[in-house]
């Protein structure tokens, strides 16, 4: 079993194409690309943490793996609705994973004296945030080629 991370899917949100200059002509092309990329690397046994803003949740059951949602600012339904559509568990707040990694929708304040690293989404391609440093990694789809990123890859880039 491998572990993957991804954020800001925004399924069926045609506005996101313009807002974030996503390289798709239409929203269905974006949806199909994300689903195909996901299922090409994620197996049914793998675990995937989605850091919010999923958009139309009807696509979730098409995605391989055991999925966990950390809700984002656009995820406004009751947690049980997200479980019904295919998530194993749903979190309203950031969680600490393996005693070191803070998983959140929005970036968290982390300084060099703190014993944590933050994996997050939300900021899309904002130049205010680098994709990664020694204590953070942004997994919004625009920065990871619309494909879930493996935990091993993040660990290689972040020296902890």
């Amino acid at each position: 079993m491998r572990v993957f991370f991804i954020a800001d899917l925004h399924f069926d949100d045609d506005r996101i194409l313009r807002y974030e200059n996503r390289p798709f002509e239409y929203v269905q092309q974006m949806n199909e690309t994300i689903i195909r990329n996901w299922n090409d690397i994620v197996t049914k046994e793998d675990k995937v943490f989605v850091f919010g803003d999923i958009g139309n949740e009807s696509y979730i059951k098409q995605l391989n793996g055991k999925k966990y949602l950390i809700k984002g600012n656009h995820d406004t339904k009751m947690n049980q609705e997200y479980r019904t559509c295919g998530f194993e568990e749903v979190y309203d707040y950031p969680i600490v994973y393996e005693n070191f990694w803070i998983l959140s929708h929005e970036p968290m304040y982390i300084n060099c004296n703190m014993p944590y690293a933050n994996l997050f989404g939300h900021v899309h391609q904002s130049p205010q945030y680098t994709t990664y440093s020694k204590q953070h990694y942004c997994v919004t789809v625009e920065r990871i080629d619309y494909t879930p990123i493996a935990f091993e890859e993040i660990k290689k880039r972040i020296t902890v």
Side-chain angles (χ1 to χ4, degrees):
M1 177 201 71
R2 294 173 67 199
V3 177
F4 293 89
F5 302 99
I6 195 166
D8 305 300
L9 304 169
H10 289 278
F11 284 126
D12 279 347
D13 183 354
D14 60 350
R15 296 169 302 164
I16 202 73
L17 299 177
R18 291 187 321 275
Y19 294 163
E20 296 301 331
N21 296 313
R22 289 189 175 182
F24 307 103
E25 290 185 43
Y26 49 92
V27 74
Q28 192 57 34
Q29 181 186 26
M30 175 187 74
N31 296 344
E32 291 168 359
T33 299
I34 292 170
I35 292 166
R36 182 180 61 252
N37 291 353
W38 180 307
N39 289 336
D40 281 351
I41 65 163
V42 175
T43 69
K44 294 192 183 307
E45 294 77 34
D46 292 333
K47 182 184 283 192
V48 184
F49 286 93
V50 179
F51 300 163
D53 293 358
I54 59 173
N56 184 342
E57 69 276 2
S58 68
Y59 294 95
I60 299 305
K61 287 189 178 175
Q62 295 179 44
L63 301 171
N64 288 341
K66 295 174 177 70
K67 297 163 288 286
Y68 299 82
L69 175 63
I70 298 169
K71 288 169 78 171
N73 53 301
H74 292 281
D75 304 316
T76 58
K77 296 182 178 175
M78 300 298 291
N79 291 358
Q80 187 54 44
E81 289 184 58
Y82 293 110
R83 288 185 196 100
T84 300
C85 77
F87 286 99
E88 301 286 322
E89 189 52 77
V90 180
Y91 304 94
D92 292 312
Y93 303 104
I95 62 170
V96 178
Y97 184 67
E98 293 188 352
N99 298 315
F100 179 76
W101 307 91
I102 298 174
L103 312 181
S104 61
H105 175 64
E106 295 183 25
M108 306 283 295
Y109 173 74
I110 304 289
N111 71 40
C112 63
N113 298 314
M114 294 175 154
Y116 300 105
N118 181 211
L119 308 182
F120 61 88
H122 184 66
V123 299
H124 297 273
Q125 298 182 75
S126 171
Q128 285 183 281
Y129 297 89
T130 59
T131 299
Y132 65 90
S133 73
K134 288 184 178 184
Q135 286 186 281
H136 84 269
Y137 205 109
C138 180
V139 300
T140 191
V141 295
E142 293 91 358
R143 296 185 190 228
I144 58 172
D145 199 27
Y146 303 90
T147 307
I149 186 168
F151 196 22
E152 305 93 56
E153 183 64 29
I154 291 173
K155 289 182 198 178
K156 283 181 198 172
R157 293 185 182 174
I158 296 180
T159 307
V160 291

